[in-house]
Amino acid sequence: MGAQKKRAAAAAAAARVSEDPDDLARQPLQAILLADSFTTKFRPITLERPKVLLPLVNVPMINYTLAWLEAAGVAEVFVFCCAHSKQVIDYLENSEWFSQPNFTVKTIESHNIISAGDALRLIYEQNVIHGDFVLISGDTVSNMSLTQALQEHKERKKKDNNAVMTMIIKKSKPSPITRQSRLGTDELFMAIDPNTKQLLYYEDKADHSKGTICLDKMLLAENPSISLHNDKQDCYIDICSPEVLSLFTDNFDYQHLRRHFVKGLLLDDIMGYKIFTHEIHSSYAARIDNYRSYDIVSKDIIQRWTYPYVPDVKFCGNRATKLERRGMYRALEIEQSRSAQVGSFTVIGYGTKIGSNSKISDSVIGEGCTIGSNVLIEGSYIWDNVIIEDGCELRHVIVCDGVIMKAGAVLKPGVVLSFKVVIGERFVVPAYSKVSLLQQPTVHDSDEELEYADNSSGTVEFSSIQGTADQSNGEMTSESSEAHKPKLGTGGVGYIWSICEGGQEEEWRHSVAPIPEDKLTELSEAMDDDQELVTQDRTALSTSGELISDSNASEGDDNEDSKDDSVYFEKEVEATFLRAVEENVKVDHVILEVNSLRLSYNMTSADCAGAVFYSMMKLAIKTPHSSASELQQNTANIITTWQKLLKSYLLEIDEEIEIILKFEEMCLESAKEFSPLFARILHILYDKDILQEDAILRWADEKEGADESDKVFVRQSEKFIQWLREASEEED
């Protein structure tokens, strides 16, 4: 679009929204919820059911989004749906959302829309948005308050009519190894004015092979202060002025919200529209973009980071679920054998039956499932009405409604079984396989072209699995049909989809399964090689106007947000440790899991040591005891059993000192029952060769100049410390 046309479009947009700002401020808050927010990353599941209706801890995703919008003060929501629109509309019409007294949900349907841009253009034509609105997709979970962000947006709008959008962001350190966030999304680079919070640069497709990103020199010249971040998460919650819709109408090349609209506004120096950011700290907000984020958000819900949107709190018609010890949730009418073991951070849905000697941990089991005897389920998501016969094993997988697993079948990590698939007796489904009753399409849609709708599903309504299979069969050649014959063992029904060329990496990056240790090692070695090249070129690059990205740099770190990351990490380690205790997991395997978490959260050995020690001490205090001496004995037993795990992270004296400081903190705050036992347990740690005398003496020496209130435990340990000093002097 030429400069004159752009100016004309800007004038037209201003004319359309020329109402009194005070009148706009008094308008009830509206929201646009895009129900077609799936990509090909969720295939084959989303060929049969819209992503927003997929269960998230046994509740359809869209319910979390609508429940939050209602609580945040939104009065009217327009749900836009295209693919599987009948399913979405039928669900909403039969839910409680259509009968809320002060919260209106309306649907807008179209079968010819293939992008977010098209959807927003259609909504603009219907003239239903009359003021500021929240733009969100139906796969978003949040508990943040909109009050402050909305107020900031309105205040900016009064001062600057070009401030059309406020983007919600949150601290999230990417892994330096995988270059992706804990949600499995690409490392995101943002340039933000630290004073005004204006967004100046947005890039989620950086070239990591060069270790650099490029900023326009004019951007640096025109903005005296720029803060460059690679530690922010885009929450995909936007507060928009009405002009946003008109901008989509005036620019038909805007299809993707971020790749086209946001970047288009940032690069446009004619119209002058601006995007600002609002960072949340203690609140929760995340979008489910892939299977890994599905896994992470599910865990966050179970661990109550999303409160009040948790399994034991009633919202949007979900069934009553009781919270029990160690983060277990059970619904009513469950039949569980006495010998079956249900571990921590597990949800069991209504009417499910669990057979003898079966073990379930860190998993979500849906409603009406039948689980046989001697079944092992770990880190998995089993949806409704699934039958799992005796002796099956499932680790880090997703199993959709109506699936049947015959006796002895095994699902390797990362497997996804779509609706009503049957796995044959003793058949082993390879890692990262996707299995469906639908044959795999011969033409693969590009995920670059898709965000909110699927090119094929805009014109075809899949009303049943068989009907969809027939549609899919029509697209197959006889040759490809022969190649896709079912290979799921005796009695198996379904097709294993092949992984397209170059897609293997995407599978393990975006899977619900932890990233394999060999992949992390491979990436780490490659990163070391790249870092060496970057170091050699650093001087040359810095003179060419390019800014060098260093994931390990500490510039601009926010202490409060770093603490948030540490808390998340500590909870994940504790959950891993508790499961290891319950299931007698080998120490070497636990070390691998903790190492994986360490890389995901970008933590140090000291962080790992502190988190493992914290988990051990929490277990000791939770173990039944009636006296201080019994608590001491519990602690000694746990330290003896798990000393190898703890020692694996005590590489230097500094890590050992971190253990002592962590113990001090626990005695003063979260586990005060340990306070009178501090000196005795310090002695146990020394006797077990976990703490060296140098670490204990350095800790005591560092307390010399501290206030008396900080010397409480040094005073308590004086006799032991003196004994260590004398022993050390005798050795010298």
Side-chain angles (χ1 to χ4, degrees):
M1 185 182 289
Q4 288 184 340
K5 289 185 177 179
K6 284 193 174 184
R7 291 191 187 97
R16 293 188 190 103
V17 291
S18 60
E19 293 94 337
D20 185 337
D22 291 332
D23 289 339
L24 289 176
R26 287 190 289 269
Q27 288 280 352
L29 184 60
Q30 297 175 297
I32 296 174
L33 187 155
L34 297 169
D36 293 295
S37 55
F38 59 82
T39 69
T40 55
K41 294 172 187 174
F42 273 83
R43 284 190 172 185
I45 296 174
T46 48
L47 287 179
E48 302 177 45
R49 184 183 296 178
K51 182 179 164 191
V52 295
L53 295 187
L54 301 183
L56 184 66
V57 192
N58 295 340
V59 174
M61 286 186 198
I62 195 172
N63 284 353
Y64 290 94
T65 312
L66 289 171
W68 171 69
L69 288 171
E70 181 184 28
V74 173
E76 186 175 38
V77 181
F78 292 94
V79 178
F80 181 87
C81 41
C82 177
H84 305 295
S85 57
K86 187 177 187 303
Q87 290 187 45
V88 176
I89 294 171
D90 286 349
Y91 174 79
L92 290 173
E93 288 180 345
N94 291 289
S95 71
E96 296 180 3
W97 294 119
F98 269 36
S99 59
Q100 298 299 312
N102 300 310
F103 183 66
T104 304
V105 176
K106 299 178 180 178
T107 57
I108 298 176
E109 179 183 13
S110 174
H111 295 286
N112 302 310
I113 301 300
I114 62 169
S115 72
D118 288 344
L120 295 178
R121 280 184 277 274
L122 179 63
I123 292 172
Y124 176 76
E125 291 172 4
Q126 297 199 4
N127 195 31
V128 293
I129 298 297
H130 307 297
D132 293 332
F133 64 95
V134 178
L135 180 58
I136 192 170
S137 58
D139 52 9
T140 304
V141 179
S142 180
N143 61 7
M144 69 169 285
S145 168
L146 275 177
T147 304
Q148 184 180 350
L150 193 60
Q151 185 62 35
E152 289 174 2
H153 178 81
K154 291 180 181 296
E155 291 298 325
R156 274 194 292 263
K157 186 68 175 175
K158 287 180 181 178
K159 298 174 183 177
D160 185 350
N161 204 45
N162 285 335
V164 296
M165 181 170 161
T166 299
M167 181 187 296
I168 307 300
I169 61 174
K170 183 176 175 63
K171 181 94 168 185
S172 179
K173 288 184 179 179
S175 165
I177 305 297
T178 63
R179 298 286 191 177
Q180 65 182 32
S181 72
R182 65 188 292 265
L183 295 174
T185 53
D186 292 332
E187 182 177 23
L188 174 63
F189 290 89
M190 286 182 171
I192 299 171
D193 185 319
N195 300 314
T196 65
K197 306 304 179 186
Q198 182 180 348
L199 181 67
L200 304 171
Y201 177 88
Y202 184 103
E203 180 56 67
D204 59 354
K205 299 289 182 183
D207 186 353
H208 297 299
S209 63
K210 295 182 179 179
T212 64
I213 60 171
C214 297
L215 294 181
D216 192 316
K217 290 182 179 179
M218 289 302 295
L219 182 67
L220 301 175
E222 294 172 358
N223 296 276
S225 183
I226 292 180
S227 178
L228 184 62
H229 299 274
N230 73 331
D231 60 352
K232 304 299 180 190
Q233 169 193 320
D234 185 350
C235 300
Y236 291 90
I237 299 173
D238 303 321
I239 300 173
C240 304
S241 298
E243 291 95 328
V244 167
L245 295 179
S246 63
L247 286 171
F248 274 96
T249 301
D250 296 328
N251 295 271
F252 277 87
D253 52 341
Y254 287 167
Q255 300 292 334
H256 192 291
L257 282 177
R258 296 301 188 251
R259 197 172 305 130
H260 299 147
F261 176 71
V262 168
K263 291 184 180 180
L265 260 59
L266 294 178
L267 293 173
D268 193 338
D269 57 356
I270 297 175
M271 300 176 74
Y273 287 114
K274 300 173 184 176
I275 300 171
F276 291 83
T277 62
H278 173 83
E279 185 171 354
I280 58 175
H281 300 283
S282 58
S283 301
Y284 188 89
R287 181 187 174 199
I288 299 167
D289 180 65
N290 52 60
Y291 288 123
R292 185 168 299 282
S293 53
Y294 178 90
D295 174 55
I296 293 298
V297 174
S298 296
K299 285 182 167 63
D300 290 344
I301 291 170
I302 293 169
Q303 295 179 21
R304 307 183 74 77
W305 291 101
T306 60
Y307 188 87
Y309 311 114
V310 292
D312 60 315
V313 175
K314 287 282 289 180
F315 69 96
C316 63
N318 59 326
R319 286 188 188 271
T321 305
K322 183 182 178 182
L323 172 61
E324 301 181 357
R325 61 191 180 92
R326 297 178 305 177
M328 290 186 292
Y329 298 85
R330 297 176 193 264
L332 301 175
E333 305 296 329
I334 292 172
E335 295 182 22
Q336 178 181 332
S337 168
R338 288 183 177 274
S339 59
Q341 299 178 30
V342 178
S344 57
F345 302 113
T346 294
V347 179
I348 308 295
Y350 178 87
T352 284
K353 301 175 182 178
I354 304 172
S356 59
N357 297 311
S358 289
K359 295 181 180 180
I360 304 173
S361 62
D362 294 298
S363 299
V364 177
I365 311 298
E367 299 185 356
C369 295
T370 301
I371 298 170
S373 301
N374 300 302
V375 172
L376 175 63
I377 301 176
E378 177 185 309
S380 297
Y381 300 91
I382 315 301
W383 295 359
D384 296 343
N385 303 311
V386 171
I387 298 174
I388 301 174
E389 296 183 358
D390 298 348
C392 292
E393 293 185 13
L394 303 85
R395 288 184 171 89
H396 304 289
V397 301
I398 293 177
V399 178
C400 296
D401 297 356
V403 165
I404 298 174
M405 290 184 63
K406 301 289 188 180
V410 176
L411 304 184
K412 293 294 186 179
V415 166
V416 175
L417 301 185
S418 194
F419 302 94
K420 297 186 178 181
V421 161
V422 179
I423 304 299
E425 191 171 332
R426 295 188 181 85
F427 185 80
V428 178
V429 182
Y432 307 111
S433 297
K434 292 181 172 59
V435 185
S436 175
L437 291 184
L438 310 182
Q439 293 185 18
Q440 187 171 7
T442 54
V443 179
H444 296 283
D445 293 325
S446 168
D447 210 44
E448 290 293 310
E449 299 170 0
L450 300 171
E451 185 185 32
Y452 290 100
D454 191 284
N455 282 332
S456 63
S457 59
T459 56
V460 179
E461 236 1 284
F462 296 113
S463 58
S464 69
I465 292 174
Q466 186 60 47
T468 312
D470 292 341
Q471 293 280 357
S472 181
N473 290 341
E475 298 175 6
M476 306 294 293
T477 63
S478 58
E479 181 180 346
S480 63
S481 180
E482 182 69 24
H484 287 80
K485 282 186 176 179
K487 299 177 181 179
L488 295 170
T490 305
V493 180
Y495 301 90
I496 297 180
W497 285 26
S498 60
I499 298 174
C500 61
E501 185 178 353
Q504 185 68 42
E505 180 175 333
E506 292 303 308
E507 295 299 329
W508 59 257
R509 278 184 176 274
H510 294 150
S511 168
V512 297
I515 296 177
E517 189 70 21
D518 62 323
K519 293 296 181 184
L520 292 173
T521 301
E522 181 183 319
L523 289 171
S524 181
E525 291 172 352
M527 185 184 70
D528 291 340
D529 294 340
D530 290 343
Q531 188 62 41
E532 185 177 342
L533 292 173
V534 170
T535 302
Q536 293 172 359
D537 295 340
R538 188 173 292 271
T539 303
L541 288 171
S542 62
T543 59
S544 66
E546 293 179 296
L547 295 187
I548 296 170
S549 162
D550 185 350
S551 296
N552 296 317
S554 59
E555 295 180 38
D557 276 358
D558 186 289
N559 290 334
E560 182 180 352
D561 293 327
S562 297
K563 185 176 180 181
D564 284 347
D565 283 345
S566 298
V567 172
Y568 272 108
F569 174 71
E570 203 167 76
K571 277 189 171 290
E572 292 266 24
V573 171
E574 183 181 5
T576 299
F577 178 73
L578 287 175
R579 181 176 55 77
V581 172
E582 292 168 8
E583 301 177 11
N584 295 318
V585 177
K586 293 180 180 179
V587 172
D588 290 340
H589 292 171
V590 182
I591 292 171
L592 288 176
E593 291 193 41
V594 174
N595 285 343
S596 178
L597 291 171
R598 173 188 174 183
L599 292 169
S600 296
Y601 283 88
N602 192 21
M603 294 296 175
T604 64
S605 291
D607 295 323
C608 293
V612 169
F613 179 74
Y614 174 85
S615 302
M616 292 166 61
M617 301 306 281
K618 288 284 283 185
L619 177 62
I621 211 165
K622 288 179 179 179
T623 303
H625 58 275
S626 57
S627 64
S629 60
E630 287 186 11
L631 175 58
Q632 180 181 331
Q633 188 58 52
N634 289 346
T635 306
N637 293 340
I638 291 168
I639 290 172
T640 301
T641 304
W642 295 98
Q643 57 184 311
K644 180 182 177 182
L645 172 62
L646 185 54
K647 284 181 180 179
S648 66
Y649 298 105
L650 300 177
L651 308 178
E652 305 286 346
I653 294 294
D654 288 342
E655 277 90 356
E656 295 180 24
I657 295 174
E658 176 66 24
I659 291 296
I660 305 175
L661 295 174
K662 189 71 175 179
F663 192 28
E664 275 192 296
E665 179 187 318
M666 292 184 70
C667 289
L668 291 170
E669 297 176 8
S670 61
K672 294 181 180 180
E673 196 174 348
F674 278 124
S675 295
L677 299 174
F678 183 91
R680 297 180 192 178
I681 293 174
L682 191 67
H683 205 305
I684 293 171
L685 292 168
Y686 173 76
D687 287 341
K688 298 295 181 184
D689 292 327
I690 291 171
L691 297 180
Q692 301 175 54
E693 63 182 46
D694 287 350
I696 298 172
L697 295 178
R698 272 183 55 184
W699 163 71
D701 291 340
E702 289 173 5
K703 295 282 186 176
E704 283 296 322
D707 295 336
E708 284 301 315
S709 59
D710 291 333
K711 296 181 181 179
V712 173
F713 298 111
V714 175
R715 296 281 184 251
Q716 188 187 128
S717 310
E718 274 182 339
K719 290 184 179 180
F720 177 48
I721 293 170
Q722 184 60 35
W723 178 79
L724 288 176
R725 291 193 193 281
E726 292 172 357
S728 179
E729 289 170 0
E730 287 176 7
E731 290 178 5
D732 293 341

